[in-house]
Amino acid sequence: MENVIWFLTGNAGKLAEAQQHLHPMGYEVRQLMAEPSSVTEPQASDLETVARAKIEQARSLLPSPTAKVMVEDAGLFIDALNGFPGVYSSYAFDTIGCLGVLRLLTHLTSDDPVQAKRLRAARFQAVAGFWDGERTLFGTGVCPGSISAEMQGEAGFGFDPVFIPADLDGEGEPLSPDVLGVESTHGMTFGAVEPSKKQVFSHRRKALDDLLRQLPDLSEKV
Ligand code: ITT
C-alpha cells in the first residue's frame, strides 16, 4: 500500500481508532514510536500548539524524508470545571483517572436525566496534525456530551467509561439533551458501546475527516 501514514503516538487506543477509520480509505496507519523521554508535550493552553510541537518532533523521527506523519492531541473539557482537565487530560487521567473526575462532580446531580446532562456537560476535542512532506495541515473535531454518574463499560480507553456523547441529528449535528437523535447511545458511555459506534460521534474521527478534506487527492473520499 503506497499511502502509509506514520502516527506518532504512545496511545494504542488512539492508534486503533485512526486505523479503523483510515484503512477503508486506502491508508495504512503505522505507529511511530519514540523513546518516552524524547517526546515532550509543552504545557500550552490549546491543543493546536501541542499538536504543532508534536509534529516538529515527529518529523525528526521519520524513517525517510518523504514519509508522511500524523499526530493528534485530544482532551476532555468539563463545563462545570471551567474546561478542566482540557489540555491537561493526559496528566489528569494518569493521576485522578475516571473515578477522580466522577468525584469532582458528585455535587452535580439531578433526578431529571436531562437536567443531569446539562449540569454535567462536557466535550471531547481533538486536533490532528499532518506533515505531507511540504507543509503541516491541521484538522479539528469536537464531540459534545456529558459525564455519566458512574463508570460504565470497558471498551475504548481513557475517559471513555465516563463520557456519554450527545445524540446526533440526520446531518450528524449534535442535539440538546432533551431531544432524541437519529444517532444515540441511549445514555451509554463510549466505554459501553462498540468501537464502530464511537466513531459515529468521535472527536478524533471528525478531526481526521477535517484533515482529509484538506488533502486534494482524498477529498472525494470523505
Ligand atoms: P499521545 O502519545 O498521542 O500524546 P496521549 O494518551 O498522551 O497520547 P492525548 O494527550 O492526546 O493522548 O490525550 C489526553 C488524554 O485524554 C488521554 O490520556 C486520554 O485519557 C484522554 N482522551 C483523549 N481522547 C480520548 C478518547 O477518545 N476517549 C477517551 N479518552 C480520551
Side-chain angles (χ1 to χ4, degrees), residues 1-6 22-23 25-30 67-68 130 212 215 217-218 221:
M1 196 184 281
E2 67 183 51
N3 281 325
V4 172
I5 298 176
W6 291 92
L22 296 178
H23 185 80
M25 297 181 192
Y27 274 95
E28 181 183 336
V29 180
R30 294 188 194 159
K68 297 176 174 62
F130 183 84
L212 294 181
L215 301 174
D217 54 330
L218 277 174
K221 296 184 181 175

Side-chain angles (χ1 to χ4, degrees), residues 7-222:
F7 186 8
L8 178 70
T9 181
N11 185 319
K14 288 167 69 165
L15 177 69
E17 288 182 12
Q19 287 172 328
Q20 185 188 31
H21 187 57
L22 296 178
H23 185 80
M25 297 181 192
Y27 274 95
E28 181 183 336
V29 180
R30 294 188 194 159
Q31 187 173 22
L32 181 61
M33 290 290 281
E35 289 295 318
S37 57
S38 70
V39 180
T40 48
E41 280 195 19
Q43 286 300 292
S45 58
D46 64 291
L47 297 176
E48 184 172 325
T49 303
V50 179
R52 194 176 287 280
K54 282 184 181 172
I55 270 285
E56 292 308 316
Q57 293 175 53
R59 285 178 56 191
S60 67
L61 298 166
L62 281 178
S64 82
T66 56
K68 297 176 174 62
V69 69
M70 183 173 82
V71 300
E72 186 246 296
D73 206 59
L76 175 67
F77 296 74
I78 299 173
D79 290 12
L81 303 179
N82 293 332
F84 181 83
V87 291
Y88 308 106
S89 293
S90 194
Y91 183 72
F93 182 73
D94 291 343
T95 51
I96 63 172
C98 288
L99 282 175
V101 164
L102 292 181
R103 278 190 208 109
L104 289 174
L105 303 183
T106 43
H107 60 297
L108 299 174
T109 55
S110 171
D111 293 335
D112 173 3
V114 171
Q115 178 63 0
K117 281 186 181 176
R118 291 207 168 104
L119 289 171
R120 300 166 75 90
R123 67 195 182 279
F124 272 123
Q125 282 182 215
V127 174
F130 183 84
W131 170 252
D132 70 356
E134 290 175 9
R135 63 205 166 130
T136 305
L137 301 169
F138 291 99
T140 59
V142 181
C143 174
S146 59
I147 303 298
S148 57
E150 52 193 34
M151 286 182 70
Q152 193 190 75
E154 287 169 10
F157 66 96
F159 294 111
D160 280 343
V162 295
F163 184 82
I164 303 168
D167 285 12
L168 306 176
D169 67 14
E171 261 74 60
E173 292 300 320
L175 294 163
S176 65
D178 55 335
V179 185
L180 179 65
V182 174
E183 289 287 351
S184 175
T185 67
H186 303 284
M188 289 197 288
T189 67
F190 272 158
V193 298
E194 292 292 320
S196 57
K197 186 77 170 176
K198 177 178 173 182
Q199 296 279 20
V200 173
F201 302 87
S202 165
H203 48 299
R204 177 159 302 102
R205 195 269 305 157
K206 290 177 188 171
L208 293 175
D209 282 348
D210 188 29
L211 202 52
L212 294 181
R213 274 191 287 272
Q214 299 170 55
L215 301 174
D217 54 330
L218 277 174
S219 52
E220 73 276 10
K221 296 184 181 175
V222 178

